[in-house]
């Protein structure tokens, strides 16, 4: 398939063979990465504030309070394929601007919430807006920067800021709720969202809105949305409800049935939501699997580290947030270096290197003692963060390579999907950790499983992606 790239003049770049982005390209990248950072920040910053939210708004139980986080996650995961396809039909810039405006406005509503129902409704709206922003931001990025060093550099910065958003949210949530109150966590999102919206309106080219008319695959949208919603709901609530409980089994079995029906529907539709030919591409399906592995194991190991720092070492939530600084700093370094590594060694080699470093860092966590070892904690988490971001940039570069421009929106949604479906790994590692004789033993066992699983990702990349496009 012929690779379609955008002309360098659209962003003021210096040429397809150079990684320099130019002033306008840099401003566009800041806008798009700002949106990525904002959505990543949203998921972590609210988690630290949950106890104060429960006391302030009078949530009846911890289970009800968890919906403050879950209400945002579910619509994002369920609607990614729909909005990825819509971006190719109605225009990426238009959908991105709408998503940024909605996210900003609903963050303000969340900050002003007077009760649980109002906050949860606003959070669900934020999740819908995030589903608009995610695939369109990535599609705009791949359309704005030519395939090669410029795009790889842009994806590297984007991947680093996604991880940094989590770390910043963990620390910032603790600082804000300690010094001010939880409402300021939402007001911070309003400020960032306003800046992203201003950048989108003034910088993103309107030519990105030119798309060929086509009808929307409504059955595919309904089946994929319902199937992904049921899958993420079952995973998110399974630990509390019980993995063999009727609600959890019903949700997971229903998800499997709905997603199977989705594939059948797509094979028969003349304009499918997600073309099966795209899903069947070697670079798409296998790099997406690598993405699922690196996201799920990094997310799961990060959760286990949080449990280690708080429940084993007795650290406060704020101190725990600072404990992830090495992971965040290493993620930034990986994002800055990813384009050079890929240029020197190719995407597959960079992916394998990233996974090996992630596996080494995760495996080293098995040595963490009950009385703490700060240097080991920082080195291990830093290795994991560095390897993870390098693997993420490589898998997204591989997944989006060699596609037509009108496929980039769908590809953007597929590249975003592992981040949310990765909750499978988080839930699985948490279940493994709960089977140990003691909390520390359980954490060690789960971290070992995470490291071995990442090594399985190395085999996937080496066997199925060794002939992937090399930049």
């Amino acid at each position: 398939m012929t690779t379609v790239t955008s002309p360098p003049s659209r962003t003021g770049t210096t040429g397809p063979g150079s990684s320099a982005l130019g002033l306008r390209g840099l401003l566009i990248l800041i806008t798009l990465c700002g949106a990525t950072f904002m959505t990543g920040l949203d998921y972590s910053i609210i988690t630290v504030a949950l106890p104060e939210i429960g006391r302030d708004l009078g949530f009846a139980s911890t289970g009800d309070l968890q919906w403050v986080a879950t209400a945002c996650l579910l619509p994002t995961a369920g609607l990614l394929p729909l909005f990825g396809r819509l971006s190719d039909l109605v225009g990426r810039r238009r959908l991105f601007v709408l998503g940024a405006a909605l996210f900003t406005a609903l963050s303000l509503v969340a900050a002003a919430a007077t009760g649980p129902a109002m906050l949860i409704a606003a959070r669900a709206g934020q999740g819908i807006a995030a589903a608009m922003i995610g695939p369109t931001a990535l599609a705009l990025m791949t359309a704005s920067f030519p395939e090669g060093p410029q795009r790889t550099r842009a994806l590297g910065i984007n991947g680093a800021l996604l991880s940094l958003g989590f770390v910043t949210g963990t620390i910032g949530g603790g600082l804000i709720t300690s010094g001010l109150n939880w409402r300021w966590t939402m007001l911070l999102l309003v400020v960032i969202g306003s800046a992203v919206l201003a950048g989108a309106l003034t910088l993103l080219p309107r030519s990105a809105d030119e798309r060929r008319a086509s009808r929307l695959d409504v059955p595919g949208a309904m089946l994929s949305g319902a199937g992904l919603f049921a899958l993420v709901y079952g995973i998110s609530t399974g630990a509390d409800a019980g993995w063999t409980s009727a609600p959890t089994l019903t949700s997971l079995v229903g998800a499997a049935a709905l997603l199977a029906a989705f594939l059948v529907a797509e094979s028969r539709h003349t304009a499918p939501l997600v073309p099966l030919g795209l899903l069947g591409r070697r670079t798409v399906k296998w790099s997406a699997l690598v993405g699922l592995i690196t996201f799920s194991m990094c997310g799961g190991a990060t959760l286990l580290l949080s449990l280690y720092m708080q429940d084993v070492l007795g650290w406060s939530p704020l101190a725990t947030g600072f404990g992830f600084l090495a992971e965040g700093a290493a993620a930034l370094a990986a994002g800055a270096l990813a384009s050079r590594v890929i240029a020197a060694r190719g995407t597959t080699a960079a992916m394998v290197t990233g996974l090996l470093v992630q596996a080494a860092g995760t495996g080293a966590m098995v040595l963490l003692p009950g009385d703490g070892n700060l240097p080991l904690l920082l080195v291990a988490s830093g290795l994991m963060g560095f390897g993870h971001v390098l693997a993420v940039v490589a898998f997204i570069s591989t997944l989006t390579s060699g596609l037509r421009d009108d496929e980039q929106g769908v590809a953007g949604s597929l590249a975003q999907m592992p981040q949310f479906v990765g909750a499978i790994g988080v839930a699985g590692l948490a279940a493994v950790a709960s089977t140990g004789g003691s909390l520390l033993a359980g954490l060690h066992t789960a971290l070992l499983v995470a490291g071995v699983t990442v090594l399985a990702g190395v085999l996937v990349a080496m066997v199925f992606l060794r002939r992937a496009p090399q930049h």
Side-chain angles (χ1 to χ4, degrees), residues 241-253:
W243 293 108
T244 58
S245 66
T248 301
L249 289 177
T250 300
S251 179
L252 295 178
V253 171

Side-chain angles (χ1 to χ4, degrees), residues 454-470:
V454 176
L455 289 178
V458 173
L459 292 178
V460 171
M462 292 179 66
V463 172
F464 298 106
L465 292 173
R466 62 181 182 275
R467 295 187 305 278
Q470 307 296 300

Side-chain angles (χ1 to χ4, degrees), residues 206-245:
R206 292 185 178 277
S207 59
D209 283 344
E210 296 176 2
R211 298 285 179 270
R212 294 193 297 270
S214 178
R215 60 194 181 97
L216 181 66
D217 175 15
V218 176
M222 294 177 64
L223 288 169
S224 67
L228 290 169
F229 186 98
L231 176 63
V232 177
Y233 174 80
I235 295 168
S236 301
T237 61
D240 292 330
W243 293 108
T244 58
S245 66

Side-chain angles (χ1 to χ4, degrees), residues 391-413:
V392 166
V393 175
F395 106 74
I396 294 179
S397 296
T398 302
L399 193 151
T400 57
S401 293
L403 302 181
R404 301 191 309 270
D405 184 67
D406 63 342
E407 295 175 319
Q408 290 293 346
V410 175
S413 69

Side-chain angles (χ1 to χ4, degrees), residues 146-425:
E147 189 171 317
Q150 290 176 8
R151 182 182 295 180
T152 304
R153 185 181 180 196
L155 291 175
I157 296 172
N158 187 65
L161 287 178
L162 180 63
S163 295
L164 187 64
F166 170 80
V167 176
T168 304
T170 304
I171 299 172
L175 290 173
I176 290 172
T177 53
S178 298
L180 298 167
N181 63 60
W182 70 268
R183 297 182 189 276
W184 285 91
T185 62
M186 294 293 100
L187 290 175
L188 176 61
L189 295 174
V190 174
V191 174
I192 300 174
S194 299
V196 168
L197 184 59
L201 291 171
T202 56
L203 294 169
L204 296 182
R206 292 185 178 277
S207 59
D209 283 344
E210 296 176 2
R211 298 285 179 270
R212 294 193 297 270
S214 178
R215 60 194 181 97
L216 181 66
D217 175 15
V218 176
M222 294 177 64
L223 288 169
S224 67
L228 290 169
F229 186 98
L231 176 63
V232 177
Y233 174 80
I235 295 168
S236 301
T237 61
D240 292 330
W243 293 108
T244 58
S245 66
T248 301
L249 289 177
T250 300
S251 179
L252 295 178
V253 171
L258 288 165
L259 293 175
F262 165 72
L263 294 177
V264 173
E266 296 303 270
S267 67
R268 299 176 178 176
H269 203 282
T270 56
L273 188 74
V274 181
L276 294 186
L278 180 63
L279 279 179
R281 284 177 62 105
R282 177 176 55 85
T283 52
V284 171
K285 64 184 179 183
W286 294 116
S287 60
L289 178 57
V290 169
L292 177 61
I293 290 172
T294 185
F295 268 116
S296 61
M297 292 303 102
C298 184
T302 299
L303 172 65
L304 298 178
L305 271 187
S306 179
L307 293 174
Y308 170 75
M309 286 185 271
Q310 293 186 72
D311 295 345
V312 176
L313 301 183
W315 290 8
S316 68
L318 182 57
T320 299
F322 280 105
F324 287 112
L325 274 178
E327 183 178 338
L332 278 177
L337 294 173
S339 62
R340 297 181 184 179
V341 175
I342 289 175
R345 305 190 61 196
T347 51
T348 301
M351 196 184 307
V352 169
T353 301
L355 291 170
L356 286 172
V357 173
Q358 181 181 342
T362 307
M365 295 174 192
V366 175
L367 303 176
L368 289 170
D371 56 353
N373 184 328
L374 185 59
L376 177 59
L377 173 64
L378 294 177
V379 170
S381 61
L383 286 173
M384 181 180 72
F386 185 95
H388 169 65
V389 170
L390 183 57
V392 166
V393 175
F395 106 74
I396 294 179
S397 296
T398 302
L399 193 151
T400 57
S401 293
L403 302 181
R404 301 191 309 270
D405 184 67
D406 63 342
E407 295 175 319
Q408 290 293 346
V410 175
S413 69
L414 294 176
Q416 293 275 314
M417 195 63 65
Q419 179 184 350
F420 300 98
V421 182
I424 294 173

